[in-house]
Amino acid sequence: MEYFVQQLINGITLGSIYGLIAIGYTMVYGIIGMINFAHGDIFMVGAFIALITFLVLVAIGITAVPLALLIVLIVAMALTALYGWTVERIAYRPLRHSFRLAPLISAIGISIVLQNYVQVAQGARVKPLPPLIHGGYTLFEGNDFAVRLSNIQVIVVVTTLFLMVGFSFLVARTRLGRNMRACEQDLKMAALLGIDVDRTISLTFVIGAALAAVAGLMFLLYYGVVDFFIGFLAGVKAFTAAVLGGIGSLPGAMLGGILIGLIETMWSAYFSIEYKDVAAFGVLIVVLIFLPTGILGRPEVEKV
Amino acid sequence: MSPTQILVVEHLTMSFGGLVAVSDLSFDARRREITALIGPNGAGKTTLFNCITGFYRPTVGRLQLAHPDGASFMLERMPEFRIAREARVARTFQNVRLFPGMTLLENLLVAQHKALMLASGFTVLGLFGSRRYARAEANAIDKARYWLDRVGLAARADDAAGTLPYGAQRRLEIVRALCTDPVLLCLDEPAAGLNNNESAELNKFLRAVREEHGTSILLIEHDMGVVMEISDRIVVLDHGLKIAEGTPEEVRHDPKVIAAYLGVADAELDHVDAEVAP
Amino acid sequence: MLRDNEPSKPPAFVAAAKEAALSALVAFGLFVTLIGVRTDQGPTGALVIATRFGPLAAIVAAVFVAAFIRALVFRDATVISLGRLVPPRVTAVVSGLAGYAAIAFLVVALVVPVLAYTNRYYLDLAILIATYTMLGFGLNIVVGLAGLLDLGYVAFYAVGAYSYALIAQNFGLSFWICLPLAGILAAFAGLLLGFPVLRLRGDYLAIVTLGFGEIIRLILLNWQDLTGGPNGISGIPRPSFFGLPFTAGENGFAATFGLKYSATHRVVFLYYLILALALATNWFTLRLRRLPIGRAWEALREDEIACRALGVNTTTTKLTAFALGAMFGGFAGAFFATRQGFISPESFAFGESALVLAIVVLGGMGSQLGVAVAATVMLGGFELFREFAQYRMLVFGAAMVAIVIYRPRGLVSTRTPSVFLTEGKVIPAAIVQAARTETPA
């Protein structure tokens, strides 16, 4: 029982990270119907930028953890958002009116570029970071097992919640959010009504990238190690989460993320750790076959 | 089901979640006749077509199709390709659906897929150059050539379908459907976008198809010139309900039909009745 | 009439300089962390950083210059179309040569071993190119003809390779029996995968196939008892010349034909083997295109709904494409296993699927010649930059993006009809539908 609760906590933490990445997938898919294959690698870039910023801050003498964290958060979000913006401008926008396979190929190309760029720039070896946030709470004990909630886990979940609320507000109440929803419904019509479609789409990518950066930072703090390949797996799992929750739905992305995090953690804990990634892919396939619109998605009718 | 009927629609209802597109619709189409479905936009005509041709599964209702040789099909249970292949119901689409990157000839050969597949021994025999397949393909090409001639497209047989002008695309789509040797041909707005000459040609053509090949035709159309000219019977839909059924003469003077098209409020119906009564 | 107080427009220089400065700023933002700072593991295992402001400054400067030139010279073009740079007459001539190109290609392919007999390196490269060409032919059936997005093609390659290895090792059957068996098993895998997923929308299908590819790799990696795990399977029986082993002994190939023994004999045989397999795949595909199944595949790609309305069972049509594509992938995998003598899960990662997909798409979907040319160009180009090992993947990715932007229909951008009444005319790619990522509305 205690073990189960611990896995529950771990799963929710991991799931929050996936959820943040999944939001990026679901937003982009909702607005231009494209799977941003490179989004996972944007997450990876965000993690690296966070890492480097940390190291730079330490080198110039800023060691107070809360302050450093705040600066890293802002810098990572800003710079990763820049990556998201650049990728969209260079690789996706020219293809907006091309045949539908083109952006996917382009995204695969960008994914390869980003992975190798980081590999060339920083070396192929893993990059460890000593744990910055220590401590936690022991919730309860029993059966020789102490259920712990670490501070970093609290930070991850709280930050995620905060961003989710803020983001939902953005989509529901602000003009940008309204523009995004309009573009999602009918891109051509939105353009005809005077919405700056290019800018709205750019901002969608930018926000998605910023959230992925936060996920990257959380990943870095939680696991303490990054390498150039984390984007691929995290990306597929986050995409699975987005689909599971209902592609195009924001709360769906978060729900999906938590579920995937739980599935992965439980599977590793109770079955086998080597095949945990297979569990994620398996879930993806099962969901797509039996519930293609996801849990919170809207059922689609094929118009003939 | 009587021998004069080819399609019997009974209590057909199609609803999408909360939206009811077709409600308790019953009518029949007669053999060797041209039956037209008319009604204002949003009346449920294309939805009805989609139900008949298997693209939608009806929520409630029966769709029974009877071949001249007595074979009977329950269309509400069949997937669309079986309806096309076994029940021999062919259709065209509101927004023309051709194979744009393939030539006209290739388009028509795809329509004869079933016969050609059998002749090629499901590909295996065809792979090694069987004569039976070569003959079947030659026959199929002949049939394609025949239909292309009938609509004046033979000269463009080797052009890509996507390069055809709009009117020609519509004609191609119709003959492609005819290449499947259908018993019932469902045409969704075949006259849309055609000028008067082309409409007249279309009328002639459809009548000829009916006479020479015994094909029954079900037609959705807005062009009253075409509808009144060639239909044997007309069914009028509005908001998913059947509001009238009968010969062109009967329907033309039906006050409910007039009201539906002119948008008269229900309260004024009696008033219109009085005005229109002979 | 110009009024006196109307401000004169700033010279083009200034506008270009502004644009360039903006680009340089963006570049700075992008590269300041990842290039400006280098992290390495220090003596204690913790990371230490070093600054690389030199390279950072150089790159930012380069971006500035490039942006400046672009703004100045290509002022009005948002996407520089290469097509506009090449005069139409040249394009027409080049298209006309396409038929001859195919023959020339074939001739060159046949004599490569003669030309490269002494140079093992080129021979190996030729084998590599031929292998990927065959994979391209196989995937072409799925993506190019039927328009189904398969991102996990490597799975069938792997199934073919491992099937071959396990059957050959455990049952001692000859290559000529194991090869078809491997192909059949791969086809079976194709059916197994295809059956539940082929009704999915285009981009979902892509991701599911990607997932399947990864699942296969993970299973190969972890099912140690069967597959040897990360160590793979070694000691796979090498091919023989129809029974004559390629050894130096009395009953070997060399001795039987009165030649001096050379290890190159086997390599040449392998080359002709894969060439024959690739040509067989090519012949097969061309035949199929002219049969109803091939036409149904292409019709499926053009408009699936119209297909169904014409009585085509789109599910079995898709399954056939999938299974056949998988079978050819399996054949290629079997060849790979016997050529290497050793296989491991490393060779079957997603990158392979991406590479083969790139070959098919960039070759010009549906075109066999395009696939062959694309394979040659990409793999040849890849090898050319061998010294820049790390950078070449980077360039490969960038090239993929560039090609899909500037020449989206690939190298061969026409389609030849499979049957004609009077005269076959090529159809420009712009009209032909490409693989879809959504169900048609």
Side-chain angles (χ1 to χ4, degrees):
Chain A
M1 174 61 189
E2 288 68 26
Y3 187 62
F4 176 75
V5 174
Q6 183 71 66
Q7 299 312 319
L8 206 61
I9 295 174
N10 295 348
I12 292 179
T13 312
L14 178 63
S16 305
I17 297 178
Y18 286 149
L20 285 173
I21 307 174
I23 292 180
Y25 278 114
T26 215
M27 277 205 299
V28 166
Y29 192 86
I31 204 169
I32 54 173
M34 171 201 167
I35 300 179
N36 184 3
F37 201 80
H39 189 58
D41 300 292
I42 297 279
F43 152 76
M44 180 268 296
V45 166
F48 266 84
I49 292 179
L51 173 72
I52 291 175
T53 314
F54 259 130
L55 294 172
V56 166
L57 287 180
V58 165
I60 63 176
I62 301 178
T63 50
V65 170
L67 178 63
L69 262 181
L70 190 63
I71 296 179
V72 168
L73 183 71
I74 295 176
V75 170
M77 282 177 83
L79 293 183
T80 311
L82 194 60
Y83 273 93
W85 182 85
T86 310
V87 165
E88 195 268 330
R89 275 317 291 298
I90 293 183
Y92 303 152
R93 190 181 294 189
L95 297 173
R96 208 176 291 159
H97 302 290
S98 183
F99 65 98
R100 292 302 292 267
L101 183 51
L104 190 65
I105 304 271
S106 187
I108 295 176
I110 292 288
S111 171
I112 295 176
V113 165
L114 286 175
Q115 279 182 28
N116 286 279
Y117 158 61
V118 171
Q119 187 181 358
V120 164
Q122 298 296 327
R125 303 176 66 182
V126 298
K127 308 288 178 186
L129 186 73
L132 288 169
I133 300 178
H134 308 272
Y137 312 90
T138 306
L139 291 180
F140 56 91
E141 289 189 43
N143 295 334
D144 288 332
F145 190 88
V147 175
R148 280 193 58 88
L149 176 67
S150 65
N151 281 332
I152 178 64
Q153 285 176 320
V154 172
I155 289 183
V156 170
V157 176
V158 166
T159 311
T160 306
L161 269 172
F162 186 68
L163 284 170
M164 262 305 288
V165 168
F167 195 61
S168 303
F169 178 81
L170 177 94
V171 169
R173 298 297 187 86
T174 63
R175 185 200 226 147
L176 170 64
R178 210 169 45 232
N179 290 352
M180 283 164 77
R181 279 179 288 136
C183 290
E184 238 178 90
Q185 296 283 325
D186 191 337
L187 198 64
K188 270 194 212 149
M189 197 58 197
L192 287 172
L193 288 173
I195 294 180
D196 188 341
V197 160
D198 280 344
R199 198 158 146 255
T200 309
I201 293 178
S202 278
L203 280 170
T204 308
F205 275 87
V206 160
I207 296 175
L211 289 174
V214 178
L217 172 61
M218 298 290 130
F219 183 93
L220 178 66
L221 292 174
Y222 192 46
Y223 286 108
V225 66
V226 296
D227 66 77
F228 70 93
F229 202 64
I230 58 175
F232 181 70
L233 271 181
V236 177
K237 289 177 194 166
F239 178 71
T240 306
V243 169
L244 178 60
I247 196 101
S249 157
L250 272 185
M254 212 55 209
L255 175 65
I258 303 278
L259 283 174
I260 294 288
L262 283 172
I263 291 173
E264 185 178 325
T265 311
M266 293 297 170
W267 187 277
S268 313
Y270 289 105
F271 293 111
S272 104
I273 200 164
E274 296 98 19
Y275 285 99
K276 69 175 161 78
D277 296 332
V278 173
F281 290 117
V283 168
L284 178 66
I285 293 176
V286 165
V287 169
L288 283 180
I289 293 174
F290 295 107
L291 195 64
T293 49
I295 297 175
L296 297 179
R298 293 152 294 181
E300 290 183 16
V301 180
E302 192 177 15
K303 194 169 195 309
V304 175
Chain B
M1 196 163 159
S2 87
T4 56
Q5 294 170 319
I6 183 163
L7 174 72
V8 174
V9 178
E10 285 176 286
H11 301 294
L12 184 71
T13 301
M14 184 71 216
S15 57
F16 303 99
L19 175 71
V20 180
V22 173
S23 175
D24 199 33
L25 177 66
S26 301
F27 74 95
D28 66 329
R30 312 240 170 98
R31 218 174 280 290
R32 299 187 78 110
E33 280 192 5
I34 298 181
T35 311
L37 289 168
I38 67 173
N41 278 319
K45 309 186 294 292
T46 301
T47 306
L48 173 61
F49 252 34
N50 289 338
C51 289
I52 293 173
T53 53
F55 283 90
Y56 291 162
R57 183 150 282 193
T59 317
V60 174
R62 272 177 39 130
L63 295 160
Q64 201 173 358
L65 183 90
H67 280 185
D69 63 6
S72 152
F73 300 88
M74 304 220 278
L75 302 180
E76 74 274 7
R77 303 239 185 114
M78 297 167 70
E80 68 282 276
F81 73 93
R82 277 205 206 288
I83 292 181
R85 188 197 289 193
E86 289 161 21
R88 289 167 62 200
V89 175
R91 73 168 291 175
T92 62
F93 294 88
Q94 207 170 3
N95 307 317
V96 176
R97 283 186 178 277
L98 293 175
F99 304 125
M102 298 173 85
T103 65
L104 274 61
L105 181 61
E106 286 176 317
N107 269 269
L108 297 190
L109 288 181
V110 175
Q112 303 178 64
H113 183 82
K114 175 176 162 195
L116 288 171
M117 270 301 255
L118 282 173
S120 75
F122 294 98
T123 309
V124 181
L125 293 178
L127 205 53
F128 300 107
S130 102
R131 253 208 309 207
R132 189 170 142 219
Y133 175 70
R135 243 178 303 138
E137 191 179 60
N139 287 341
I141 293 180
D142 281 336
K143 184 191 287 201
R145 197 196 318 239
Y146 165 75
W147 282 115
L148 287 174
D149 267 328
R150 292 298 301 268
V151 287
L153 288 174
R156 302 201 58 174
D158 296 319
D159 288 342
T163 59
L164 288 181
Y166 181 73
Q169 285 189 359
R170 281 217 169 267
R171 299 202 307 273
L172 180 67
E173 208 192 9
I174 296 176
V175 295
R176 186 182 66 181
L178 285 167
C179 277
T180 63
D181 278 334
V183 149
L184 176 66
L185 178 65
C186 300
L187 301 172
D188 197 339
E189 298 194 34
L194 297 186
N195 61 33
N196 285 340
N197 278 341
E198 291 167 326
S199 300
E201 287 294 319
L202 178 70
N203 287 350
K204 226 167 63 170
F205 179 68
L206 290 179
R207 278 216 204 87
V209 165
R210 194 234 341 231
E211 295 308 322
E212 296 165 23
H213 298 269
T215 319
S216 314
I217 298 179
L218 192 60
L219 178 70
I220 292 179
E221 197 37 74
H222 281 296
D223 184 337
M224 287 305 143
V226 168
V227 171
M228 293 300 166
E229 179 69 26
I230 62 171
S231 318
D232 296 304
R233 289 176 66 242
I234 302 180
V235 175
V236 188
L237 297 179
D238 188 22
H239 289 100
L241 298 161
K242 179 173 81 172
I243 62 174
E245 182 178 2
T247 64
E249 266 307 299
E250 291 166 7
V251 164
R252 197 204 303 258
H253 296 299
D254 187 324
K256 290 202 285 297
V257 174
I258 297 170
Y261 271 97
L262 292 177
V264 176
D266 293 330
E268 294 189 13
L269 206 53
D270 294 341
H271 185 65
V272 174
D273 250 338
E275 285 210 6
V276 170
Chain C
M1 239 187 74
L2 270 177
R3 286 190 284 163
D4 283 329
N5 54 355
E6 194 174 286
S8 56
K9 278 208 250 170
F13 262 133
V14 177
K18 278 194 198 158
E19 238 188 80
L22 202 60
S23 301
L25 192 63
V26 169
F28 179 75
L30 290 177
F31 300 129
V32 63
T33 46
L34 284 161
I35 293 187
V37 177
R38 165 86 194 198
T39 62
D40 278 300
Q41 288 199 319
T44 59
L47 289 175
V48 294
I49 58 175
T51 57
R52 284 187 302 198
F53 292 141
L56 176 66
I59 291 181
V60 172
V63 168
F64 181 87
V65 169
F68 187 73
I69 294 176
R70 183 178 170 285
L72 215 50
V73 177
F74 299 103
R75 215 166 323 154
D76 298 316
T78 41
V79 173
I80 307 166
S81 169
L82 279 178
R84 281 194 291 171
L85 294 174
V86 178
R89 239 183 343 156
V90 175
T91 328
V93 166
V94 170
S95 303
L97 290 176
Y100 300 108
I103 299 176
F105 220 77
L106 186 59
V107 168
V108 171
L110 284 170
V111 300
V112 157
V114 174
L115 299 172
Y117 193 75
T118 45
N119 200 332
R120 209 18 221 279
Y121 173 72
Y122 284 115
L123 206 51
D124 285 337
L125 181 61
I127 292 181
L128 190 71
I129 292 178
T131 310
Y132 276 94
T133 304
M134 179 162 177
L135 283 171
F137 286 159
L139 187 62
N140 197 28
I141 293 177
V142 179
V143 176
L145 292 181
L148 303 167
L149 282 178
D150 186 351
L151 283 184
Y153 194 61
V154 73
F156 308 124
Y157 192 40
V159 168
Y162 272 83
S163 307
Y164 178 84
L166 290 171
I167 296 177
Q169 270 193 339
N170 293 320
F171 298 103
L173 300 168
S174 88
F175 173 77
W176 301 104
I177 300 184
C178 293
L179 179 76
L181 283 177
I184 290 174
L185 282 172
F188 197 63
L191 283 174
L192 221 59
L193 168 69
F195 191 66
V197 307
L198 281 174
R199 56 199 172 90
L200 291 178
R201 283 160 51 157
D203 28 11
Y204 285 171
L205 178 66
I207 297 296
V208 164
T209 49
L210 170 74
F212 191 70
E214 278 299 295
I215 288 179
I216 292 282
R217 188 182 67 87
L218 288 166
I219 291 178
L220 291 174
L221 196 58
N222 288 304
W223 194 352
Q224 313 249 2
D225 295 336
L226 183 70
T227 66
N231 299 321
I233 301 179
S234 48
I236 301 173
R238 310 311 284 275
S240 64
F241 189 83
F242 303 102
L244 295 171
F246 284 97
T247 52
E250 284 275 305
N251 55 348
F253 169 78
T256 316
F257 284 89
L259 302 162
K260 198 171 92 158
Y261 172 77
S262 162
T264 317
H265 292 155
R266 189 181 63 226
V267 182
V268 172
F269 175 68
L270 280 170
Y271 173 74
Y272 280 119
L273 183 61
I274 185 66
L275 188 64
L277 283 173
L279 287 173
T281 311
N282 185 38
W283 174 85
F284 201 74
T285 308
L286 289 175
R287 283 294 290 167
L288 286 176
R289 259 194 90 214
R290 308 194 50 196
L291 288 168
I293 187 70
R295 239 168 254 137
W297 287 339
E298 293 202 80
L300 192 66
R301 178 194 67 211
E302 299 283 311
D303 193 323
E304 181 174 340
I305 289 185
C307 272
R308 288 196 238 143
L310 290 175
V312 174
N313 185 339
T314 50
T315 308
T316 51
T317 307
K318 288 180 185 175
L319 270 176
T320 322
F322 226 67
L324 277 174
M327 183 179 81
F328 290 121
F331 286 151
F335 171 81
F336 179 73
T338 194
R339 178 211 170 348
Q340 304 264 105
F342 156 77
I343 51 176
S344 77
E346 266 178 27
S347 318
F348 304 108
F350 170 70
E352 300 298 312
S353 295
L355 177 57
V356 181
L357 181 67
I359 288 175
V360 170
V361 172
L362 302 174
M365 293 198 279
S367 159
Q368 303 282 85
L369 175 64
V371 166
V373 171
T376 313
V377 167
M378 289 179 77
L379 289 164
F382 216 56
E383 278 303 307
L384 272 178
F385 294 102
R386 187 156 254 252
E387 300 107 57
F388 307 101
Q390 285 193 315
Y391 292 89
R392 60 180 186 169
M393 274 305 279
L394 191 56
V395 172
F396 171 64
M400 261 178 89
V401 177
I403 294 179
V404 85
I405 290 178
Y406 294 119
R407 198 161 170 85
R409 290 322 196 112
L411 294 169
V412 177
S413 54
T414 56
R415 175 185 175 266
T416 319
S418 60
V419 63
F420 45 86
L421 210 53
T422 47
E423 175 211 338
K425 292 176 235 180
V426 289
I427 298 173
I431 303 180
V432 180
Q433 302 298 303
R436 308 193 90 96
T437 56
E438 60 177 8
T439 25

